[in-house]
Amino acid sequence: PRAPLPMAMRVALNAYRLLFILLGTVVVSATTLSLLGYGFYEELVKNRPQEVIIPDITGMPKDKAKELFEKDLGLHFAVGLEQANKSVPQGAVIITQPGPGKHVRAGRRVEAIISTGPALLTLPRFVTETLSDAQDQLVKMGLKAGTVSKQPDETAPAGYVVRQEPEPGRHVDSGTSVN
């Protein structure tokens, strides 16, 4: 039979056992936390939204632009404003915010300004004004002076407008010629 170990030796052995158990627990815990952290990081990287470059869609119909942005690019498309524009057809995109060429993350909201078509102007009455005053007013309004024909009129002095075409009150596009 073996002789029992002295008390000091038993305490030392128990302390070493406890130390090894604690070290083992720390190593297993650190490994587990590291693996969980790495897995979480991998999941974040995989699910991170990708970057998208905003295309130039000037002149594209609003419905096609919405489909392109939402289905193909993964962006949220919203109509911000509608405004008159003589070079972009009605219902088409004038510009986006953020603008073309900008890098954004997928899922971002992009606002578009949509054209209502050319601005319509209401023709004022030029009859009884001087020809030069009428022509100056046309230029200021963004209209063109059309054909001028001279004809005698008993009620108006020479150099005054007696008739105009299109008629006063009509709605016309900017750049329209007025005779």
Side-chain angles (χ1 to χ4, degrees):
R2 289 174 87 189
L5 293 174
M7 179 67 119
M9 190 79 119
R10 280 186 294 177
V11 169
L13 285 176
N14 284 338
Y16 282 122
R17 279 188 202 130
L18 183 61
L19 181 64
F20 283 119
I21 289 172
L22 286 174
L23 282 174
T25 304
V26 168
V27 168
V28 169
S29 296
T31 304
T32 303
L33 286 175
S34 296
L35 290 174
L36 285 173
Y38 181 74
F40 185 68
Y41 171 77
E42 282 292 311
E43 203 52 38
L44 280 178
V45 170
K46 285 180 192 172
N47 293 330
R48 184 173 148 196
Q50 65 185 40
E51 210 169 69
V52 177
I53 300 172
I54 304 291
D56 184 2
I57 58 168
T58 302
M60 182 181 285
K62 175 176 57 176
D63 296 337
K64 281 189 178 180
K66 182 176 178 78
E67 183 177 333
L68 170 71
F69 274 70
E70 292 186 353
K71 290 185 179 174
D72 298 343
L73 300 176
L75 299 168
H76 297 290
F77 185 82
V79 175
L81 296 172
E82 292 188 353
Q83 71 182 36
N85 189 297
K86 65 182 177 182
S87 60
V88 176
Q90 181 177 0
V93 176
I94 298 172
I95 191 75
T96 58
Q97 180 61 34
K102 299 288 182 186
H103 294 258
V104 298
R105 293 209 187 271
R108 177 160 179 192
R109 177 184 163 107
V110 176
E111 285 193 13
I113 297 175
I114 306 297
S115 175
T116 57
L120 292 179
L121 304 169
T122 304
L123 278 179
R125 179 178 166 86
F126 296 116
V127 175
T128 70
E129 292 188 27
T130 66
L131 179 61
S132 65
D133 285 347
Q135 288 174 330
D136 288 344
Q137 195 173 349
L138 284 171
V139 170
K140 287 178 186 173
M141 291 179 68
L143 299 169
K144 295 179 186 172
T147 306
V148 176
S149 58
K150 296 183 181 194
Q151 59 187 28
D153 188 277
E154 297 168 2
T155 61
Y160 279 78
V161 177
V162 293
R163 189 170 57 94
Q164 75 183 61
E165 176 63 37
E167 299 84 29
R170 296 256 326 258
H171 298 289
V172 296
D173 294 333
S174 62
T176 298
S177 293
V178 178
N179 301 317

